[in-house]
Amino acid sequence: FIDEIDAIGRARGRGAAMGGNDERENTLNQLLVEMDGFGTTSGVVVLAGTNRPDILDPALLRPGRFDRTVTVDRPDIKGREDIFKIYLNKVKLHLPAIDAGDAEAVEGSADKKQLSGDAEEEENAESAGGLASLLTMQTKVDDTEVSSDSNSSGSGSVSSSSSEDEDDDEPYSPQQYEPMNVEEYAQRLAALTPGFAGADIANIVNEAALIAAREGKASVDAVDFERATDRVIGGMEKKNKVISKEERKTVAYHEAGHAVVGWFLQNAEPLLKVSIVPRGTAALGFAQYLPSENLLQTVEQINDMICMTLGGRAAEQVVIGKVSTGAQNDLEKVTRMAYAQVSIYGFNKRVGMLSFPPDENRFDKPYSSDTARVIDEEVRKMVDTMYERTLSLVTEKKPLIEKLAEELLKKEVIGVKELTEILGERPFKSTELRNIDRYLGAGGDATTAPSAREAKRGVTPTPPSTGPELPTDPRDLEPALAAAPSR
């Protein structure tokens, strides 16, 4: 197996020094000669890995050499669910309690084995100090960043990490989740993490275990996973960051503008959370959206995404009366989306159905200066039109933006439940099951255990095909109803 073969297998003649001899070409020539020397019956199989198959020399890809290509792409929602199941088995989860009668009914099942193992580990958690019972011995992942977090299982490193992140608590009351089985954890977390690779998933599970250990919990619950996802996406919280009241107010109106504009645009992604807690090195706040597994995009979807991205700048202009530099990252995204519409996807009538994707190996543009001027004019015209549309929507919904900003200044983080109470139900309904529906438990695949909310309505859901048999008699659900939070 040859890893990172592009280091020596780059196409010959690219980037070589003028008049010199590139050593990589000699190494590549020798590799090609050696591969030609293998006999067909010698039983030797040569494998190679690379993230840049487009720059490999064509001679490497000829029949008899690396003539079979296996593409390992980022996992889809089903793949993420399977990966989560692997890593969730390495931590102690907050699972639903099962009484003795139900345990006898599921004796010998895999879930009962999991629950019995959790009962033993819970006793060890009190004596071992918390973290040792949350993380198993095997937490090393082949990703460098994840390994650095995983190696913090020693007592000394945990204490230093805890002192560094001791204020990592969310300043708001997170959504209260009822205990779930491993299947439900995997399904909801897979819906929460679109675009994540295997190393990212392992990092989330490790971060959730660390967060639970810092709080002295005996198990990891859904709130810990939600906070771990926020940290992986947005970076570590910086609650001690010095920020003035005026700047904090500006950030609140900026994020409220994003949220309200996206809430009332049909093709914008569903909004999950709004936060004005500083994270990472530059982010003073963020609005988290939960996109579905979209493979295609329409003109209307891109236009609504541009308007949603411009919502923060428009809210500053309409509500505060002056704009700030906080929209720099938003403008970069808008520029990329607008140029992609005009010069790549062929959505502009004046430029026509032409595509000029960026090519890093070319120093000149594949079109004339006149065409470049037309592209620039159409992009500027499109952005101006979308901004006027955004300003109109922000002016119409100004009371809602002010109300949401005031709540953000009080709570700092607002979830989808509070957003619905402030903004009302989103006027657009989807006929298909989206990732946000799976995560919030509104879809059939996302809920496999009866909840207290369903029991209050008198609904008896279909029991899961695998796992422990849960009680269906309302009398058996009385303890759960008594312990369930009010809704």
Side-chain angles (χ1 to χ4, degrees), residues 19 27 35 69 77 86 91 104 116 128 131 153 201 204 213 251 269 278 315 398 453:
T27 307
M35 293 185 69
T69 302
I77 186 170
I86 295 174
V91 298
E104 293 177 359
S116 62
L131 182 59
S153 56
I201 292 174
I204 286 178
V251 173
E269 300 291 358
K398 181 179 178 180
R453 181 173 62 257

Side-chain angles (χ1 to χ4, degrees), residues 371-387:
T371 303
R373 183 165 50 253
V374 171
I375 293 176
D376 293 339
E377 292 174 356
E378 292 299 310
V379 167
R380 187 171 289 106
K381 179 181 176 181
M382 176 191 303
V383 174
D384 291 342
T385 302
M386 293 299 106
Y387 189 62

Side-chain angles (χ1 to χ4, degrees), residues 35-71:
M35 293 185 69
D36 281 341
F38 291 141
T40 56
T41 59
S42 62
V44 177
V45 178
V46 183
L47 305 176
T50 179
N51 292 324
R52 298 294 308 276
D54 55 304
I55 66 173
L56 295 180
D57 194 276
L60 274 175
L61 308 178
R62 289 175 185 162
R65 291 170 180 159
F66 296 114
D67 53 356
R68 293 176 181 264
T69 302
V70 179
T71 302

Side-chain angles (χ1 to χ4, degrees), residues 151-181:
N151 293 335
S152 62
S153 56
S155 59
S157 60
V158 171
S159 61
S160 62
S161 177
S162 177
S163 63
E164 177 180 290
D165 302 330
E166 59 184 356
D167 292 333
D168 203 18
D169 300 337
E170 291 287 350
Y172 79 118
S173 178
Q175 180 175 345
Q176 298 299 322
Y177 299 95
E178 297 160 5
M180 299 179 289
N181 55 33

Side-chain angles (χ1 to χ4, degrees), residues 339-347 351-358 366-367 375:
Y339 270 100
Q341 276 204 62
V342 176
S343 62
I344 297 179
Y345 300 137
F347 288 161
V351 176
M353 290 181 287
L354 302 176
S355 180
F356 306 108
Y367 45 82
I375 293 176

